[in-house]
Amino acid sequence: MSHHKWQSWLSFTGIALGVTMVVAVDLANSSARRAFSLSLESVAGNVTHQIIGGPKGIDESIYSRLRRELAIRNSAPMVTGRVHIGDQVFRLIGSDPFSEAQLNRHTLNISRGELPALLLNPTAVVLSERGADRLNLSLGETFKIQIAGRESEVILAAIFSTDNEAATDGLIFADIAVAQRLLQRPGRLDRIDLVLGQGNPQRLLGWLPDDLKLVESETRNHSLQQISEAFHINLTAMSLLALLVATLLIYNTMTLSVIQRRHTLGIYRTLGVSRREIFALILSESLVLALVASTTGLIAGLLLGQVLVQLVTRTINDLYFSLHVTAFLIDPWSLLKGFTLGIVMTLLSTLLPAWEANRTEPTAVQQRSVLEEQWRRRLPLFIVFGLISLLLGMFLVRQNHDSLLEGYAALTMMVLGFCLIIPSLVVWLSRAVLLLTPQSLVIRMAVRSISAGISRTGLAVAALAVAVSVTVGVGVMIGSLRHTVFVWLEQTLNGDIYISPSNPNDIGSISNLKRDLSNVDGIRLVTSNRVLDIESEFGPMRLWAITPSGMNIRMPLKDSVPEATQLFYSGEGVLISEPLAYHRQLGSGDSLSLHTLKGPQQFPIVGVFYDYTSTQGLVAMQRDLYRHWWGDESVSGLTVYGDEGVTPDALLNATRDIIGNRQAQFQLISNGEIRQVAMRVFDRTFVITDVMRMLAVLVAFIGVLSALTALQLERAREFGILRATGMTPGQLRVMIMVQTILMGLIAGLLAIPLGLMMADVLIEVINRRAFGWSMQQILPPIVLVQAMSLALISAFLAGLYPAQKAATISPAAALREE
């Protein structure tokens, strides 16, 4: 290792990179999972049940009656909402400190002297020490918070400390009356948290009004957690795919260290060193290298994980739900798993070269041709095993199971199968290229050397092809989904201006604005809608109530009963989103149970529509049908439709003029702005995926570099002969660079069919099972250009060092025998 520093660093880097990838992604995943658990725990605590209300929440008199009539003391009212402080998002928790004391949660270390100010000041709020530091606030300082576009001024009445800082990071506490005023929910509660013993749930169920529902906290939390589980599995699979590439790299680098000393090992065997001692020597050296490299990989994984966790939590916030906990949490199990994988993968990668060194006769050790001949004899066997693996993967793909892990197992088998076939394809393609090459001795020697050193070049091409195929597969998947979302936005966003009231319950102001807008020249129609979370037989669900006058609202239907549109607008059925239909095995003609003010009710499903706003599920309902069962007149948004010929800017200015001094009450956004925001969120969501595939390409680049270095080192004597017989340093450089670039070209060409196969599985199986989305599969030309560019550039850069080293070799030193 000390004599071959560059090669030792390659071996070290290969192992460290593989460990880094696994540890970083695993830590980011575990941090996001832990953040979700802490977010739930910090809000729910030891609560066993919750009472959930309808669209307007729960009348606070229910809580008083609950304690008075049923004597359930372990109960606490709760009001929560999302607030913005500057550019940071916090969750406002409104609770009753006396009730909280009985539940023994949210135990804030507040001194008695601060408690009166907290209870009596109508603007008092409380922050944790970490939260106050994050906002640079001191005790008694006044600051502003924003809620749904409204700005309110509050005072920091107390700062508390806690044993678990991460659990309260991102929370802002207030007395329940203060929270009700800030959130504009006077006399209303979001829920009532309970700690119930055996028998109490049945007694409470008989007492509750029809419009309220008792749910188990554990079941509800589990339902929420399942929403993002597919996302975490996808990330884990991406890291394991990168580990597959890293394994090929580790095999290359560990084989390189054995190749360095084939001559020396042959002398050892001649002098009487046993095969067992040779085997133990190689394994012990790789173990020491693995320990050092894996430790370095852990450290690098910790650093990279801190970057990835921000991307992961941001994606969860964009797609699923708001996490107030974003701290980077170190999971010892993730570190142990990454460290163990590094050692195990290194030892497994070393077994084959160690076995070869152990089994080869001393005379054969001196001959490189013996190893290459062994590899050529194994190529047909590789093809057989590769085809079997490919067929098994395709068989699993065609199974109608919902298992995401089974889908990834099928994808892994297909990738492994293709990898086993690659060395044979490299030999055939290099021979085909040889027929087309000009009669240039240097170039023909470069082409022949690819198949001559297939034990090295085959693995290098396989590693690079797999890494580039990940770029192709993921690129096609993201491009297809982006195109599908863009077309879907074009079809569904047919309004011109969208207005959101800061207070959906301020029906008078909303009605006045709607009337004023309807009288403006250039405005054809103004419709209202209601969007809210409701309870269903499957847990929390999103409901979209559409005004009957909005007949021109277009929802692309995937499946429907006859006359579905007429049935929907007449209030005789509901439409459900594709993810909801897929995950809950529902379809047209089925029914869905929703909890209304009159208790659970069955609603017939008349159609399934495409939707990419949520993986949780969305139910669309005619507004009159919604009013009948929920008795809610609140409005979440207004949609303004302009006349033909009216420009978007003119319509936007006219709407702003009508709103006038009511800017604080209403937020408006144009159709074009919504599309821009939607696509920006989409692109931001897949930043983590782009980072993962770039890291995979980096791993493959190191693999190609190590394989080429190994090949050139083994050919040092050959290069010495070529130099001694008249080949110039320039010709030697050209020969090696042609060989390297041709390997990159072959890897790029082979990566395209593998990437397209991977994209098909990602789109039709993985994405479908994970999110329930279907998409139009397209092949963006830029993806193919990027793939070929990556392969060629990686190969070119990887060949520079070996070419320079070979060109500057001393013929005398290369030909000297000890």
Side-chain angles (χ1 to χ4, degrees):
M1 291 177 69
S2 63
H3 288 169
H4 303 280
K5 293 182 177 62
W6 276 103
Q7 288 71 42
S8 300
W9 273 110
L10 282 174
S11 303
F12 175 86
T13 305
I15 301 167
L17 270 178
V19 174
T20 298
M21 290 285 289
V22 175
V23 169
V25 173
D26 211 56
L27 284 175
N29 259 339
S30 62
S31 292
R33 282 196 178 97
R34 183 62 179 150
F36 177 77
S37 299
L38 285 174
S39 294
L40 291 178
E41 182 184 326
S42 58
V43 175
N46 58 345
V47 168
T48 61
H49 293 74
Q50 295 174 341
I51 297 176
I52 306 296
K56 295 182 179 179
I58 306 170
D59 191 303
E60 61 185 10
S61 63
I62 294 291
Y63 175 67
S64 303
R65 289 178 52 202
L66 180 72
R67 295 178 69 93
R68 189 173 60 250
E69 297 175 16
L70 297 185
I72 297 179
R73 303 299 181 191
N74 290 331
S75 57
M78 182 70 71
V79 176
T80 65
R82 190 176 181 182
V83 303
H84 291 262
I85 305 175
D87 59 349
Q88 301 189 46
V89 180
F90 280 71
R91 181 181 289 275
L92 175 63
I93 303 290
S95 58
D96 174 32
F98 302 104
S99 302
E100 290 295 335
Q102 289 180 310
L103 283 188
N104 194 29
R105 66 167 184 177
H106 299 155
T107 306
L108 311 182
N109 300 322
I110 300 173
S111 66
R112 291 187 178 181
E114 297 168 334
L115 193 58
L118 178 61
L119 294 176
L120 298 177
N121 191 326
T123 61
V125 297
V126 181
L127 279 169
S128 67
E129 289 179 348
R130 180 185 287 188
D133 291 340
R134 186 145 64 102
L135 297 169
N136 294 320
L137 294 174
S138 56
L139 190 63
E141 188 173 347
T142 300
F143 61 100
K144 293 181 179 180
I145 63 174
Q146 285 189 334
I147 305 172
R150 292 177 287 102
E151 199 168 70
S152 301
E153 198 170 77
V154 295
I155 185 171
L156 184 57
I159 297 175
F160 67 92
S161 59
T162 177
D163 294 335
N164 192 344
E165 288 284 347
T168 54
D169 186 27
L171 292 181
I172 178 170
F173 292 90
D175 181 66
I176 195 163
V178 176
Q180 286 174 327
R181 182 185 64 81
L182 292 173
L183 297 170
Q184 293 189 350
R185 300 175 197 166
R188 311 301 297 184
L189 307 174
D190 286 344
R191 67 176 191 268
I192 299 173
D193 292 341
L194 307 162
V195 179
L196 299 179
Q198 291 184 351
N200 278 335
Q202 288 73 22
R203 187 163 64 99
L204 184 55
L205 282 171
W207 178 86
L208 279 178
D210 289 338
D211 61 328
L212 302 181
K213 183 178 182 181
L214 181 68
V215 297
E216 292 184 6
S217 295
E218 186 176 347
T219 303
R220 183 182 175 87
N221 293 344
H222 179 71
S223 176
L224 287 172
Q225 199 158 15
Q226 288 297 107
I227 296 171
S228 66
E229 191 59 30
F231 174 72
H232 294 299
I233 293 175
N234 273 312
L235 275 186
T236 302
M238 284 289 287
S239 70
L240 293 178
L241 200 56
L243 181 64
L244 173 63
V245 179
T247 302
L248 294 175
L249 182 153
I250 293 169
Y251 174 80
N252 269 334
T253 53
M254 296 314 300
T255 304
L256 170 58
S257 67
V258 175
I259 290 168
Q260 300 270 4
R261 295 170 300 157
R262 286 176 62 84
H263 183 77
T264 306
L265 294 176
I267 295 174
Y268 285 171
R269 291 281 291 113
T270 305
L271 295 175
V273 177
S274 69
R275 290 179 173 178
R276 180 178 297 178
E277 288 173 323
I278 294 289
F279 191 77
L281 171 69
I282 296 172
L283 282 185
S284 61
E285 287 180 354
S286 65
L287 178 61
V288 172
L289 184 63
L291 288 171
V292 178
S294 297
T295 303
T296 305
L298 289 184
I299 298 170
L302 285 169
L303 297 175
L304 180 60
Q306 293 183 55
V307 177
L308 294 184
V309 74
Q310 300 300 322
L311 299 177
V312 172
T313 52
R314 187 176 69 181
T315 300
I316 292 174
N317 280 327
D318 285 340
L319 288 184
Y320 304 106
F321 37 71
S322 175
L323 293 178
H324 67 259
V325 179
T326 57
F328 178 63
L329 304 168
I330 299 175
D331 182 8
W333 169 243
S334 298
L335 300 179
L336 179 62
K337 183 163 60 175
F339 187 75
T340 304
L341 273 175
I343 293 174
V344 170
M345 297 309 294
T346 303
L347 292 178
L348 287 177
S349 301
T350 311
L351 283 178
L352 183 57
W355 181 79
E356 285 180 347
N358 174 45
R359 300 297 301 171
T360 308
E361 294 299 326
T363 53
V365 170
Q366 309 281 345
Q367 304 167 9
R368 174 68 194 170
S369 58
V370 174
L371 178 60
E372 294 300 336
E373 186 58 36
Q374 290 174 351
W375 260 79
R376 286 192 182 87
R377 287 200 300 267
R378 293 172 187 161
L379 288 181
L381 195 61
F382 288 167
I383 293 176
V384 172
F385 282 116
L387 289 175
I388 291 174
S389 184
L390 272 172
L391 292 173
L392 283 175
M394 291 176 181
F395 173 77
L396 284 177
V397 161
R398 283 168 172 73
Q399 300 305 300
N400 294 322
H401 300 156
D402 291 332
S403 172
L404 196 59
L405 290 175
E406 184 182 281
Y408 274 116
L411 179 60
T412 302
M413 293 179 72
M414 293 168 74
V415 172
L416 282 172
F418 199 88
C419 281
L420 290 172
I421 299 173
I422 283 179
S424 298
L425 293 176
V426 170
V427 172
W428 298 336
L429 287 173
S430 61
R431 288 174 180 172
V433 171
L434 194 62
L435 298 176
L436 303 174
T437 54
Q439 295 301 316
S440 167
L441 182 63
V442 173
I443 294 177
R444 293 181 70 83
M445 287 178 68
V447 176
R448 281 199 184 98
S449 64
I450 295 176
S451 58
I454 192 62
S455 66
R456 301 280 76 79
T457 57
L459 288 173
V461 171
L464 186 57
V466 171
V468 175
S469 71
V470 172
T471 299
V472 175
V474 175
V476 170
M477 187 268 289
I478 294 176
S480 298
L481 182 55
R482 199 179 197 282
H483 172 76
T484 302
V485 170
F486 182 81
V487 172
W488 172 77
L489 287 171
E490 290 281 340
Q491 293 174 338
T492 55
L493 290 177
N494 58 330
D496 294 298
I497 307 292
Y498 297 87
I499 303 172
S500 301
S502 59
N503 183 7
N505 298 320
D506 190 358
I507 302 169
S509 297
I510 297 171
S511 299
N512 291 336
L513 177 61
K514 184 178 179 182
R515 184 191 63 242
D516 294 342
L517 289 170
S518 300
N519 296 326
V520 174
D521 291 336
I523 293 181
R524 174 169 50 92
L525 180 68
V526 180
T527 64
S528 60
N529 63 74
R530 181 77 167 112
V531 180
L532 72 160
D533 290 323
I534 58 169
E535 288 295 320
S536 72
E537 59 182 307
F538 303 113
M541 197 167 288
R542 204 79 171 149
L543 177 67
W544 179 25
I546 305 172
T547 304
S549 58
M551 291 292 186
N552 56 349
I553 293 180
R554 302 188 301 268
M555 285 185 294
L557 294 180
K558 180 182 181 181
D559 177 41
S560 64
V561 299
E563 307 294 331
T565 305
Q566 289 76 5
L567 291 172
F568 173 75
Y569 280 112
S570 62
E572 298 179 50
V574 299
L575 300 172
I576 63 172
S577 66
E578 183 189 19
L580 175 60
Y582 179 82
H583 289 304
R584 302 303 181 183
Q585 299 299 304
L586 297 172
S588 301
D590 295 332
S591 62
L592 176 66
S593 177
L594 303 176
H595 189 81
T596 71
L597 293 183
K598 302 175 184 179
Q601 296 294 330
Q602 294 287 335
F603 294 88
I605 299 170
V606 297
V608 177
F609 63 93
Y610 293 102
D611 177 68
Y612 301 91
T613 60
S614 169
T615 60
Q616 180 182 2
L618 179 66
V619 180
M621 182 179 292
Q622 194 254 29
R623 188 70 188 275
D624 290 337
L625 181 63
Y626 169 74
R627 286 195 191 99
H628 172 74
W629 289 107
W630 277 269
D632 178 27
E633 297 291 339
S634 302
V635 175
S636 299
L638 298 175
T639 305
V640 179
Y641 299 87
D643 287 327
E644 293 290 335
V646 179
T647 64
D649 289 340
L651 195 61
L652 192 62
N653 292 331
T655 306
R656 284 199 179 113
D657 291 339
I658 291 297
I659 292 177
N661 59 3
R662 294 175 285 186
Q663 297 282 353
Q665 294 177 268
F666 300 98
Q667 291 180 309
L668 71 159
I669 186 171
S670 68
N671 183 309
E673 288 175 315
I674 286 183
R675 293 180 190 180
Q676 290 176 3
V677 170
M679 299 315 295
R680 189 160 60 243
V681 170
F682 179 93
D683 293 334
R684 192 170 69 191
T685 298
F686 286 99
V687 167
I688 178 69
T689 307
D690 290 332
V691 171
M692 294 292 295
R693 59 177 176 167
M694 287 301 103
L695 287 172
V697 172
L698 174 62
V699 170
F701 167 71
I702 301 294
V704 174
L705 180 59
S706 65
L708 289 173
T709 305
L711 190 62
Q712 310 315 329
L713 283 170
E714 291 174 342
R715 298 175 63 195
R717 184 176 176 80
E718 175 189 336
F719 294 150
I721 294 173
L722 291 174
R723 289 281 289 112
T725 52
M727 182 174 279
T728 65
Q731 288 175 317
L732 202 54
R733 284 194 187 94
V734 169
M735 185 181 76
I736 294 174
M737 292 307 299
V738 167
Q739 175 193 343
T740 305
I741 293 172
L742 184 56
M743 286 172 61
L745 179 63
I746 292 174
L749 291 173
L750 294 178
I752 291 174
L754 178 58
L756 294 178
M757 182 173 64
M758 192 181 295
D760 189 62
V761 176
L762 287 172
I763 291 172
E764 301 299 334
V765 180
I766 305 298
N767 177 79
R768 185 90 171 116
R769 295 178 183 180
F771 305 110
W773 295 333
S774 60
M775 63 183 79
Q776 304 171 28
Q777 189 168 338
I778 63 168
L779 178 59
I782 187 65
V783 172
L784 300 182
V785 173
Q786 287 176 346
M788 290 303 301
S789 301
L790 275 173
L792 290 172
I793 292 172
S794 296
F796 174 78
L797 293 176
L800 289 177
Y801 170 71
Q804 179 62 23
K805 189 173 180 62
T808 55
I809 194 171
S810 167
L815 295 173
R816 184 181 297 121
E817 289 283 354
E818 295 183 12

